[in-house]
């Protein structure tokens, strides 16, 4: 009897910064081949979207496999704050299902004031202040 798949992900939380390109790897131990069909997918949990090549900023979902092991890599291109979510790797075959969830946190550096301008005025005059700030 072939075993149900076993899913593993190196980290249960991934912290990335805004505009980075990075990957999350899901490793699955199972029998692969003509006798047993094992399916591995990534899902974003907030809206249950299956992550496929070309969806939003996902560059690729690549699969490397041999007879008993598969790695499915979810790669994000230029991450944005909205990519922060929970992502689940799911593996299933006719003998069972396994899944693990990873939390992705995308953060941006706080804005920094890069320029202040001096303002001189007389009593009773309207004045405007200009502040220039940048962030990643």
């Amino acid at each position: 009897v072939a075993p149900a798949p076993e899913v593993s992900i190196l980290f249960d939380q991934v912290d990335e910064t805004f505009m980075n390109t990075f990957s999350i790897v899901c490793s699955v131990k199972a029998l692969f081949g003509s006798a047993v069909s094992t399916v591995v997918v990534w899902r974003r949990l907030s809206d249950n979207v299956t992550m496929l090549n070309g969806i939003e900023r996902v560059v690729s979902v690549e699969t490397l496999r041999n007879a008993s092991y598969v790695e499915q890599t979810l790669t994000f291109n230029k991450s944005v704050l909205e990519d922060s979510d929970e992502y689940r790797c799911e593996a299933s075959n006719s003998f069972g299902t396994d899944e693990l969830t990873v939390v992705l946190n995308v953060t941006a550096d706080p804005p920094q004031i890069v320029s202040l301008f001096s303002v001189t005025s007389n009593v009773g005059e309207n004045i405007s202040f200009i502040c220039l700030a940048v962030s990643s």
Side-chain angles (χ1 to χ4, degrees):
V1 175
E6 295 176 24
V7 173
S8 63
I9 301 174
L10 192 55
F11 303 104
D12 60 358
Q13 181 170 314
V14 175
D15 297 314
E16 284 294 335
T17 54
F18 183 70
M19 297 305 286
N20 267 2
T21 296
F22 62 93
S23 298
I24 305 172
V25 177
C26 174
S27 301
V28 178
K29 181 180 176 185
L31 289 179
F32 293 92
S34 59
V36 178
S37 175
T38 299
V39 177
V40 181
V41 296
W42 279 101
R43 293 191 198 285
R44 183 176 54 214
L45 295 188
S46 64
D47 52 10
N48 202 33
V49 167
T50 300
M51 305 308 290
L52 302 170
N53 291 341
I55 289 185
E56 298 174 2
R57 283 157 306 285
V58 174
V59 175
S60 64
V61 178
E62 295 182 31
T63 303
L64 301 173
R65 69 175 67 218
N66 64 31
S68 62
Y69 187 79
V70 66
E71 282 189 350
Q72 191 166 81
T73 303
L74 179 62
T75 302
F76 289 83
N77 184 33
K78 296 183 179 176
S79 60
V80 295
L81 299 177
E82 291 81 8
D83 290 329
S84 295
D85 208 323
E86 291 180 297
Y87 294 84
R88 177 177 294 146
C89 179
E90 302 172 355
S92 61
N93 63 23
S94 56
F95 298 97
T97 300
D98 195 19
E99 59 188 33
L100 281 177
T101 300
V102 60
V103 176
L104 172 60
N105 295 310
V106 178
T107 57
D109 294 332
Q112 297 178 334
I113 297 173
V114 294
S115 183
L116 291 175
F117 301 95
S118 297
V119 176
T120 305
S121 75
N122 295 315
V123 173
E125 291 180 338
N126 290 333
I127 58 172
S128 296
F129 294 96
I130 298 172
C131 175
L132 179 61
V134 297
S135 179
S136 58

